[in-house]
Amino acid sequence: MTTTPAPAIDVRGLRKTYGPVVAVDHVDLAVAEGEIFGVLGPNGSGKSTTVECIAGMRRPDAGTVRILGLDPVADHDAVKRSVGVQLQSAGLQPKLRVREALDLFASFYDDPREPLELATRLGLGDRLDHPWRKLSGGQQQRLAIALALVGRPRVALLDELSTGLDPRSRRDVWDLVEEVRADGTTILLVTHLMEEAQHLCDRIALVERGRILVVDTPEGLIGRTAAPLVMSFVPDRALDTGGLVALAGVSDVMERSGRLQVACDDAAVLRVLDWLHDQHVRPEHLRVTESSLDEAYLDLVAGDETTTDAPEKESIR
Ligand code: ADP
Ligand code: MG
């Protein structure tokens, strides 16, 4: 008999309102142990509120949240020993030095990582005696990530993982996240970077207005769009792009410095080649690539920022 292991994070019917604002509305999600799960969506779509409810920092209005089988509000102390959290607003004490912060957070856990090694990995090795307030935005961000991961947590919740990081630091953070996962940590991360989501995540939830639109693998999301492929080539003679667009399965044709880009579905690839052949056009430097997650996102998420007459900001919980 096989039993399915309980998910590391199990959210059912989660709802959270701030006065008249419904921030999270009937969200269900299950993150398997060892998974890297991404949450993507426009600003104000309830991503941070969801993370804060999972972390036990906000009490849901309805629904249940279980993390490692525990109720994050009722079992807060136990959760704190097994879960690492990087919040968007990591309000650390301004005078706390990097080294002190790392030591403090490491002390919450049974088997923490070596804080100095982690700081060095994240480019903070020469900032250990700097107070938090004197760090640059990117350095504060890297410290927040280090603090979330220093305890070797069983689950890490990372809100806006690499927002504000330069490309080099971002790569370092991605390597670290992959290594931490290889060590067995389950990771839920919020990101705005499609490249990051595609690189790191096993599955992604697209959210909008407090609801989950779809959960799928990055490839699966791309496959759901009308045009999962891009054929790109340089025609050896002028052609009638109108004829191309008219082919079944072709959704868009763009020209960029002599190269044509045809967005289409799988079945249209041969149709396009046959059509070019009939027109006596040779597609030179032909490439067929997967359309990007960017396009899938734009296709699947309407994308208008949730506008609200936000009431007075409510403090945590
Ligand atoms: P996201 O992280 O996706 O940008 P949030 O969870 O921060 O979204 O916000 C969802 C909605 O809840 C937004 O309309 C936001 O204005 C509102 N909201 C978030 N936090 C608070 C708060 N502390 N008090 C009042 N409204 C809030
Ligand atoms: Mg947010």
Side-chain angles (χ1 to χ4, degrees):
M1 199 178 84
T2 54
T3 51
T4 329
I9 300 172
D10 197 3
V11 173
R12 300 210 186 150
L14 178 65
R15 180 177 165 90
K16 176 71 187 173
T17 58
Y18 301 106
V21 177
V22 181
V24 177
D25 200 8
H26 290 101
V27 160
D28 295 316
L29 59 91
V31 179
E33 206 156 317
E35 191 171 27
I36 302 184
F37 190 95
V39 180
L40 266 81
N43 293 329
S45 55
K47 304 181 297 295
S48 292
T49 303
T50 301
V51 170
E52 288 160 1
C53 287
I54 295 172
M57 293 162 148
R58 293 193 184 279
R59 192 185 293 276
D61 294 324
T64 54
V65 177
R66 291 290 175 273
I67 182 160
L68 300 168
L70 301 166
D71 176 332
V73 175
D75 306 318
H76 195 66
D77 292 341
V79 167
K80 203 171 164 185
R81 285 192 295 273
S82 310
V83 177
V85 187
Q86 173 212 350
L87 286 184
Q88 225 180 321
S89 49
L92 281 185
Q93 222 239 70
K95 287 188 180 159
L96 197 65
R97 294 173 197 280
V98 170
R99 187 195 305 271
E100 293 166 345
L102 284 163
D103 287 344
L104 175 67
F105 277 66
S107 75
F108 301 151
Y109 302 88
D110 295 334
D111 177 28
R113 285 174 160 260
E114 171 50 55
L116 297 187
E117 188 263 335
L118 187 58
T120 309
R121 289 262 325 243
L122 290 172
L124 295 169
D126 58 354
R127 291 286 180 279
L128 294 172
D129 294 316
H130 276 56
W132 183 76
R133 71 182 149 89
K134 288 205 175 161
L135 299 175
S136 72
Q139 289 164 349
Q140 290 183 349
Q141 179 82 356
R142 280 178 272 146
L143 179 58
I145 294 167
L147 296 178
L149 299 177
V150 70
R152 243 186 263 283
R154 285 181 60 198
V155 177
L157 307 172
L158 308 169
D159 194 0
E160 304 231 345
L161 176 65
S162 65
T163 303
L165 295 186
D166 61 63
R168 180 72 261 159
S169 310
R170 198 180 296 144
R171 287 284 165 172
D172 293 343
V173 166
W174 292 0
D175 289 350
L176 180 64
V177 165
E178 286 185 316
E179 186 186 308
V180 163
R181 185 265 281 277
D183 272 357
T185 298
T186 304
I187 294 164
L188 181 128
L189 64 88
V190 174
T191 179
H192 285 291
L193 287 173
M194 296 302 145
E195 196 195 348
E196 178 165 283
Q198 204 156 3
H199 183 88
L200 287 178
C201 297
D202 301 309
R203 287 189 306 150
I204 293 169
L206 293 186
V207 300
E208 191 171 42
R209 296 172 185 277
R211 285 176 177 266
I212 292 187
L213 297 177
V214 54
V215 177
D216 209 334
T217 60
E219 299 72 31
L221 288 178
I222 291 168
R224 283 168 192 257
T225 64
L229 296 177
V230 179
M231 298 176 73
S232 114
F233 55 87
V234 181
D236 69 342
R237 56 197 292 182
L239 60 75
D240 163 31
T241 51
L244 262 181
V245 182
L247 295 175
V250 172
S251 51
D252 192 26
V253 178
M254 266 187 4
E255 204 222 298
R256 205 185 262 166
S257 35
R259 181 173 267 280
L260 284 187
Q261 295 192 326
V262 181
C264 62
D265 64 22
D266 294 32
V269 173
L270 282 180
R271 222 172 275 136
V272 168
L273 292 177
D274 285 345
W275 184 86
L276 291 171
H277 184 75
D278 291 348
Q279 307 286 314
H280 308 289
V281 176
R282 273 171 58 86
E284 292 179 342
H285 307 288
L286 173 67
R287 268 184 263 139
V288 182
T289 51
E290 245 192 2
S291 150
S292 70
L293 192 57
D294 247 327
E295 270 131 294
Y297 177 92
L298 293 173
D299 202 24
L300 297 167
V301 178
D304 48 327
E305 183 167 332
T306 317
T307 47
T308 47
D309 294 319
E312 280 289 286
K313 280 269 176 185
E314 210 175 84
S315 57
I316 294 276
R317 239 180 236 186

